[in-house]
Protein backbone atom coordinates (compact mmCIF):
# COMPACT_ATOMS: atom_id res chain seq x y z
CA UNK A 1 0.00 0.00 0.00
CA UNK A 2 2.94 2.38 0.67
CA UNK A 3 4.12 1.99 -2.93
CA UNK A 4 0.61 2.74 -4.22
CA UNK A 5 0.43 5.91 -2.10
CA UNK A 6 3.82 7.08 -3.41
CA UNK A 7 2.74 6.56 -7.02
CA UNK A 8 -0.65 8.18 -6.54
CA UNK A 9 0.47 11.15 -4.40
CA UNK A 10 1.55 13.43 -7.27
CA UNK A 11 -1.70 12.75 -9.17
CA UNK A 12 -3.84 13.34 -6.10
CA UNK A 13 -1.96 16.53 -5.29
CA UNK A 14 -2.50 17.83 -8.82
CA UNK A 15 -6.17 16.89 -8.67
CA UNK A 16 -6.60 18.82 -5.42
CA UNK A 17 -5.51 22.06 -7.13
CA UNK A 18 -8.66 21.90 -9.23
CA UNK A 19 -10.99 20.08 -6.83
CA UNK A 20 -14.31 21.84 -6.08
CA UNK A 21 -15.84 22.15 -2.65
CA UNK A 22 -17.74 19.03 -1.57
CA UNK A 23 -21.18 18.86 -3.14
CA UNK A 24 -20.59 21.87 -5.40
CA UNK A 25 -19.34 22.50 -8.91
CA UNK A 26 -16.04 24.39 -9.03
CA UNK A 27 -15.67 27.39 -11.31
CA UNK A 28 -12.66 27.97 -13.57
CA UNK A 29 -14.10 31.16 -14.94
CA UNK A 30 -17.58 32.69 -15.25
CA UNK A 31 -19.83 30.28 -17.16
CA UNK A 32 -17.33 27.37 -17.10
CA UNK A 33 -17.93 24.48 -14.76
CA UNK A 34 -15.65 21.60 -13.83
CA UNK A 35 -16.79 18.15 -12.81
CA UNK A 36 -16.13 16.83 -9.34
CA UNK A 37 -12.98 14.72 -9.03
CA UNK A 38 -15.03 11.53 -8.73
CA UNK A 39 -16.96 12.32 -11.92
CA UNK A 40 -13.73 13.08 -13.74
CA UNK A 41 -12.29 9.74 -12.70
CA UNK A 42 -15.36 7.92 -13.98
CA UNK A 43 -15.38 9.77 -17.30
CA UNK A 44 -11.75 8.87 -17.95
CA UNK A 45 -12.21 5.15 -17.30
CA UNK A 46 -10.74 3.14 -20.20
CA UNK A 47 -13.13 1.49 -22.63
CA UNK A 48 -13.11 -2.30 -22.76
CA UNK A 49 -11.21 -3.84 -25.66
CA UNK A 50 -13.05 -5.83 -28.30
CA UNK A 51 -12.22 -9.54 -28.25
CA UNK A 52 -11.90 -10.75 -31.82
CA UNK A 53 -11.48 -14.31 -33.09
CA UNK A 54 -9.46 -14.64 -36.30
CA UNK A 55 -10.11 -17.87 -38.22
CA UNK A 56 -7.36 -19.11 -40.56
CA UNK A 57 -7.39 -21.83 -43.21
CA UNK A 58 -3.72 -22.72 -43.64
CA UNK A 59 -0.71 -20.74 -44.88
CA UNK A 60 -0.43 -19.61 -48.50
CA UNK A 61 -2.88 -18.18 -51.00
CA UNK A 62 -3.36 -21.25 -53.22
CA UNK A 63 -4.02 -23.84 -50.51
CA UNK A 64 -4.57 -21.84 -47.30
CA UNK A 65 -4.93 -18.35 -45.87
CA UNK A 66 -3.81 -15.38 -48.00
CA UNK A 67 -0.93 -14.21 -45.81
CA UNK A 68 -1.09 -10.53 -46.79
CA UNK A 69 -4.78 -10.45 -45.86
CA UNK A 70 -4.19 -12.10 -42.49
CA UNK A 71 -1.33 -9.71 -41.76
CA UNK A 72 -3.37 -6.65 -42.75
CA UNK A 73 -6.26 -7.77 -40.55
CA UNK A 74 -3.91 -8.22 -37.59
CA UNK A 75 -2.35 -4.79 -38.13
CA UNK A 76 -5.73 -3.06 -38.30
CA UNK A 77 -7.03 -4.96 -35.27
CA UNK A 78 -3.93 -3.94 -33.35
CA UNK A 79 -4.42 -0.33 -34.37
CA UNK A 80 -8.06 -0.59 -33.29
CA UNK A 81 -7.03 -1.79 -29.82
CA UNK A 82 -8.60 -5.24 -30.12
CA UNK A 83 -7.57 -8.38 -28.26
CA UNK A 84 -7.10 -11.15 -30.84
CA UNK A 85 -7.15 -14.92 -30.54
CA UNK A 86 -6.34 -17.01 -33.61
CA UNK A 87 -8.06 -20.27 -34.54
CA UNK A 88 -7.97 -22.90 -37.30
CA UNK A 89 -9.59 -26.31 -37.77
CA UNK A 90 -7.47 -29.35 -36.96
CA UNK A 91 -8.08 -31.07 -40.32
CA UNK A 92 -6.00 -32.07 -43.35
CA UNK A 93 -5.71 -29.62 -46.23
CA UNK A 94 -7.60 -30.51 -49.39
CA UNK A 95 -4.21 -30.65 -51.12
CA UNK A 96 -0.81 -28.95 -51.06
CA UNK A 97 0.20 -26.47 -53.74
CA UNK A 98 3.79 -25.75 -54.78
CA UNK A 99 3.56 -21.96 -54.82
CA UNK A 100 6.56 -21.61 -57.14
CA UNK A 101 4.67 -23.56 -59.82
CA UNK A 102 1.02 -23.11 -58.89
CA UNK A 103 0.57 -26.85 -59.12
CA UNK A 104 -0.30 -29.60 -56.60
CA UNK A 105 2.61 -31.31 -54.84
CA UNK A 106 1.97 -34.98 -55.42
CA UNK A 107 2.10 -37.20 -52.34
CA UNK A 108 2.42 -34.30 -49.86
CA UNK A 109 -0.05 -33.69 -47.05
CA UNK A 110 -0.35 -30.86 -44.52
CA UNK A 111 -2.57 -30.00 -41.57
CA UNK A 112 -4.60 -26.75 -41.57
CA UNK A 113 -4.00 -26.00 -37.88
CA UNK A 114 -0.27 -26.70 -38.12
CA UNK A 115 0.14 -24.55 -41.23
CA UNK A 116 -1.95 -21.71 -39.78
CA UNK A 117 0.35 -21.67 -36.74
CA UNK A 118 3.04 -20.23 -39.06
CA UNK A 119 0.99 -17.05 -39.44
CA UNK A 120 -0.06 -17.04 -35.78
CA UNK A 121 3.57 -17.30 -34.65
CA UNK A 122 2.58 -20.46 -32.81
CA UNK A 123 -0.21 -18.89 -30.77
CA UNK A 124 -3.19 -20.74 -32.20
CA UNK A 125 -6.16 -22.74 -30.93
CA UNK A 126 -8.23 -25.53 -32.44
CA UNK A 127 -11.38 -24.05 -34.01
CA UNK A 128 -13.45 -26.59 -32.09
CA UNK A 129 -12.75 -24.49 -28.98
CA UNK A 130 -14.06 -21.22 -30.44
CA UNK A 131 -17.40 -20.11 -28.98
CA UNK A 132 -19.20 -16.85 -29.60
CA UNK A 133 -19.83 -16.32 -25.89
CA UNK A 134 -16.09 -15.70 -25.39
CA UNK A 135 -15.65 -13.11 -28.16
CA UNK A 136 -17.20 -9.94 -29.54
CA UNK A 137 -16.56 -10.61 -33.24
CA UNK A 138 -15.09 -13.12 -35.69
CA UNK A 139 -13.09 -12.40 -38.85
CA UNK A 140 -12.22 -14.75 -41.73
CA UNK A 141 -9.41 -13.83 -44.16
CA UNK A 142 -9.53 -15.14 -47.71
CA UNK A 143 -7.16 -17.27 -49.71
CA UNK A 144 -8.19 -20.48 -51.45
CA UNK A 145 -8.03 -22.26 -48.10
CA UNK A 146 -11.44 -20.73 -47.31
CA UNK A 147 -12.81 -22.44 -50.42
CA UNK A 148 -10.80 -25.66 -50.07
CA UNK A 149 -10.22 -26.32 -46.36
CA UNK A 150 -13.04 -24.42 -44.63
CA UNK A 151 -15.50 -25.50 -47.31
CA UNK A 152 -15.70 -27.31 -50.65
CA UNK A 153 -16.69 -24.13 -52.53
CA UNK A 154 -13.68 -24.36 -54.88
CA UNK A 155 -14.89 -27.76 -56.10
CA UNK A 156 -18.65 -27.75 -55.60
CA UNK A 157 -19.66 -24.09 -55.98
CA UNK A 158 -23.28 -23.49 -54.91
CA UNK A 159 -23.55 -27.12 -53.77
CA UNK A 160 -20.59 -26.81 -51.40
CA UNK A 161 -20.37 -28.10 -47.86
CA UNK A 162 -18.89 -26.06 -45.01
CA UNK A 163 -16.63 -27.45 -42.28
CA UNK A 164 -18.88 -28.27 -39.32
CA UNK A 165 -17.02 -26.02 -36.88
CA UNK A 166 -16.93 -23.14 -39.36
CA UNK A 167 -20.67 -23.48 -39.86
CA UNK A 168 -21.24 -23.66 -36.10
CA UNK A 169 -19.11 -20.58 -35.44
CA UNK A 170 -20.87 -18.53 -38.13
CA UNK A 171 -24.28 -19.51 -36.77
CA UNK A 172 -23.24 -18.86 -33.16
CA UNK A 173 -21.95 -15.35 -33.82
CA UNK A 174 -24.91 -14.55 -36.06
CA UNK A 175 -27.39 -15.88 -33.51
CA UNK A 176 -25.74 -13.82 -30.77
CA UNK A 177 -25.93 -10.66 -32.87
CA UNK A 178 -22.14 -10.36 -32.96
CA UNK A 179 -20.39 -9.04 -36.08
CA UNK A 180 -18.62 -11.24 -38.62
CA UNK A 181 -15.99 -9.92 -41.04
CA UNK A 182 -14.91 -11.75 -44.20
CA UNK A 183 -12.71 -10.80 -47.14
CA UNK A 184 -11.72 -12.01 -50.58
CA UNK A 185 -13.44 -15.36 -51.28
CA UNK A 186 -14.38 -16.00 -47.63
CA UNK A 187 -17.80 -14.25 -48.01
CA UNK A 188 -18.89 -17.43 -49.81
CA UNK A 189 -18.88 -19.11 -46.37
CA UNK A 190 -21.45 -16.65 -45.04
CA UNK A 191 -23.47 -16.92 -48.25
CA UNK A 192 -23.71 -20.70 -47.79
CA UNK A 193 -24.50 -20.69 -44.06
CA UNK A 194 -26.50 -17.50 -43.42
CA UNK A 195 -29.53 -17.48 -45.72
CA UNK A 196 -30.22 -14.18 -47.46
CA UNK A 197 -27.06 -12.45 -46.20
CA UNK A 198 -25.64 -9.47 -48.11
CA UNK A 199 -21.95 -9.71 -49.11
CA UNK A 200 -19.46 -8.37 -51.63
CA UNK A 201 -16.59 -9.91 -53.55
CA UNK A 202 -16.15 -6.73 -55.60
CA UNK A 203 -17.39 -6.05 -59.14
CA UNK A 204 -19.48 -8.28 -61.40
CA UNK A 205 -17.66 -7.47 -64.66
CA UNK A 206 -14.03 -8.38 -65.36
CA UNK A 207 -13.17 -4.89 -66.62
CA UNK A 208 -10.18 -5.94 -68.66
CA UNK A 209 -8.88 -8.42 -66.09
CA UNK A 210 -9.05 -6.09 -63.07
CA UNK A 211 -11.70 -8.36 -61.52
CA UNK A 212 -10.73 -11.89 -62.66
CA UNK A 213 -13.02 -13.83 -60.31
CA UNK A 214 -16.43 -12.43 -61.25
CA UNK A 215 -17.86 -15.95 -61.41
CA UNK A 216 -17.72 -15.97 -57.61
CA UNK A 217 -20.37 -13.25 -57.46
CA UNK A 218 -22.70 -15.37 -59.58
CA UNK A 219 -22.08 -18.43 -57.39
CA UNK A 220 -22.86 -16.35 -54.29
CA UNK A 221 -26.17 -15.31 -55.82
CA UNK A 222 -26.91 -18.97 -56.57
CA UNK A 223 -26.39 -19.69 -52.86
CA UNK A 224 -29.29 -17.35 -52.09
CA UNK A 225 -27.23 -14.40 -50.90
CA UNK A 226 -27.40 -10.86 -52.23
CA UNK A 227 -24.23 -9.64 -53.91
CA UNK A 228 -23.43 -5.93 -53.54
CA UNK A 229 -20.93 -4.30 -55.90
CA UNK A 230 -18.13 -2.55 -54.02
CA UNK A 231 -14.70 -1.20 -54.89
CA UNK A 232 -11.55 -2.76 -53.43
CA UNK A 233 -11.08 0.00 -50.84
CA UNK A 234 -14.68 -0.31 -49.65
CA UNK A 235 -16.56 -2.70 -47.39
CA UNK A 236 -20.20 -3.68 -47.47
CA UNK A 237 -22.04 -3.71 -44.15
CA UNK A 238 -25.13 -5.91 -43.87
CA UNK A 239 -26.63 -4.07 -40.90
CA UNK A 240 -29.37 -6.64 -40.33
CA UNK A 241 -27.01 -9.62 -40.12
CA UNK A 242 -23.94 -7.69 -38.88
CA UNK A 243 -21.80 -9.16 -41.66
CA UNK A 244 -19.01 -6.98 -43.10
CA UNK A 245 -17.20 -7.94 -46.31
CA UNK A 246 -14.53 -6.47 -48.61
CA UNK A 247 -13.07 -7.72 -51.95
CA UNK A 248 -9.33 -7.74 -51.10
CA UNK A 249 -7.42 -9.91 -53.60
CA UNK A 250 -10.50 -10.54 -55.73
CA UNK A 251 -9.18 -7.38 -57.40
CA UNK A 252 -5.91 -7.10 -59.35
CA UNK A 253 -4.56 -3.86 -57.90
CA UNK A 254 -1.80 -2.34 -55.79
CA UNK A 255 -1.29 -3.92 -52.38
CA UNK A 256 -1.99 -0.72 -50.47
CA UNK A 257 -5.52 -0.53 -51.94
CA UNK A 258 -6.21 -4.03 -50.63
CA UNK A 259 -4.72 -3.09 -47.26
CA UNK A 260 -7.00 -0.02 -47.12
CA UNK A 261 -10.12 -2.04 -47.96
CA UNK A 262 -9.32 -4.56 -45.24
CA UNK A 263 -8.85 -1.65 -42.85
CA UNK A 264 -12.33 -0.42 -43.73
CA UNK A 265 -13.75 -3.88 -43.03
CA UNK A 266 -11.97 -4.22 -39.69
CA UNK A 267 -13.02 -0.74 -38.59
CA UNK A 268 -16.67 -1.46 -39.39
CA UNK A 269 -16.53 -4.78 -37.52
CA UNK A 270 -15.08 -3.07 -34.43
CA UNK A 271 -17.72 -0.34 -34.63
CA UNK A 272 -20.44 -2.99 -34.63
CA UNK A 273 -19.07 -4.49 -31.42
CA UNK A 274 -19.77 -1.18 -29.67
CA UNK A 275 -16.35 -1.28 -27.99
Amino acid sequence: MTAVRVLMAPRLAAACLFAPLPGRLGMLSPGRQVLSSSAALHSSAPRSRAKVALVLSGCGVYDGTEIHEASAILVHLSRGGADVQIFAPNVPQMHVIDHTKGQPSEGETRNVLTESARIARGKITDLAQLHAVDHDAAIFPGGFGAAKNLSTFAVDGKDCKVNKDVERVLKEFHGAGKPIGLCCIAPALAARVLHGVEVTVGHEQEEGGKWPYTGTAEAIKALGARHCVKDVTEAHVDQKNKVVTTPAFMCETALHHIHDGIGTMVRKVLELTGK
Side-chain angles (χ1 to χ4, degrees):
M1 289 301 292
T2 301
V4 172
R5 292 193 192 99
V6 170
L7 289 172
M8 292 298 294
R11 297 184 183 182
L12 292 173
C16 289
L17 293 176
F18 303 98
L21 293 173
R24 298 183 183 179
L25 287 170
M27 304 295 292
L28 289 174
S29 61
R32 294 182 63 190
Q33 297 178 331
V34 295
L35 295 173
S36 69
S37 57
S38 61
L41 286 172
H42 285 300
S43 66
S44 63
R47 297 175 63 185
S48 59
R49 296 159 64 96
K51 297 179 180 179
V52 180
L54 181 64
V55 181
L56 304 183
S57 60
C59 181
V61 57
Y62 299 127
D63 58 7
T65 300
E66 212 303 320
I67 298 171
H68 295 294
E69 291 179 11
S71 180
I73 290 168
L74 287 166
V75 168
H76 288 296
L77 285 173
S78 175
R79 181 171 288 129
D83 287 328
V84 182
Q85 188 173 0
I86 304 177
F87 297 84
N90 187 9
V91 297
Q93 291 185 186
M94 176 185 138
H95 60 190
V96 178
I97 296 292
D98 180 339
H99 280 61
T100 65
K101 300 176 181 177
Q103 298 175 354
S105 297
E106 298 298 333
E108 187 174 352
T109 61
R110 298 190 183 186
N111 177 278
V112 175
L113 179 64
T114 302
E115 291 301 296
S116 298
R118 295 175 179 271
I119 299 173
R121 298 174 63 89
K123 297 179 180 179
I124 197 161
T125 305
D126 189 332
L127 185 62
Q129 298 181 41
L130 171 55
H131 300 283
V133 68
D134 300 319
H135 296 82
D136 301 303
I139 296 181
F140 293 74
F144 282 102
K148 293 179 177 180
N149 303 328
L150 303 188
S151 72
T152 63
F153 183 76
V155 176
D156 300 323
K158 66 180 181 63
D159 298 317
C160 68
K161 296 180 181 179
V162 176
N163 171 278
K164 62 181 180 62
D165 279 314
V166 172
E167 181 174 4
R168 174 187 58 78
V169 165
L170 289 169
K171 288 182 176 179
E172 276 189 18
F173 276 84
H174 180 256
K178 295 182 177 182
I180 301 166
L182 311 101
C183 63
C184 195
I185 202 168
L189 300 172
R192 183 70 179 90
V193 174
L194 307 177
H195 182 72
V197 70
E198 298 176 0
V199 300
T200 189
V201 290
H203 289 201
E204 297 180 356
Q205 302 296 323
E206 289 191 13
E207 301 176 20
K210 183 178 180 180
W211 297 91
Y213 306 107
T214 53
T216 305
E218 296 305 313
I220 281 174
K221 293 177 186 178
L223 285 168
R226 178 188 173 196
H227 183 259
C228 303
V229 173
K230 290 289 180 180
D231 204 359
V232 67
T233 58
E234 299 178 309
H236 179 73
V237 182
D238 180 342
Q239 293 286 355
K240 178 182 177 181
N241 293 294
K242 291 191 176 182
V243 172
V244 187
T245 50
T246 192
F249 278 98
M250 300 300 280
C251 181
E252 291 287 343
T253 188
L255 182 59
H256 68 277
H257 294 313
I258 293 164
H259 187 276
D260 291 347
I262 289 173
T264 303
M265 181 266 287
V266 169
R267 185 171 66 253
K268 296 295 184 183
V269 167
L270 292 178
E271 287 174 359
L272 287 173
T273 68
K275 295 185 176 182

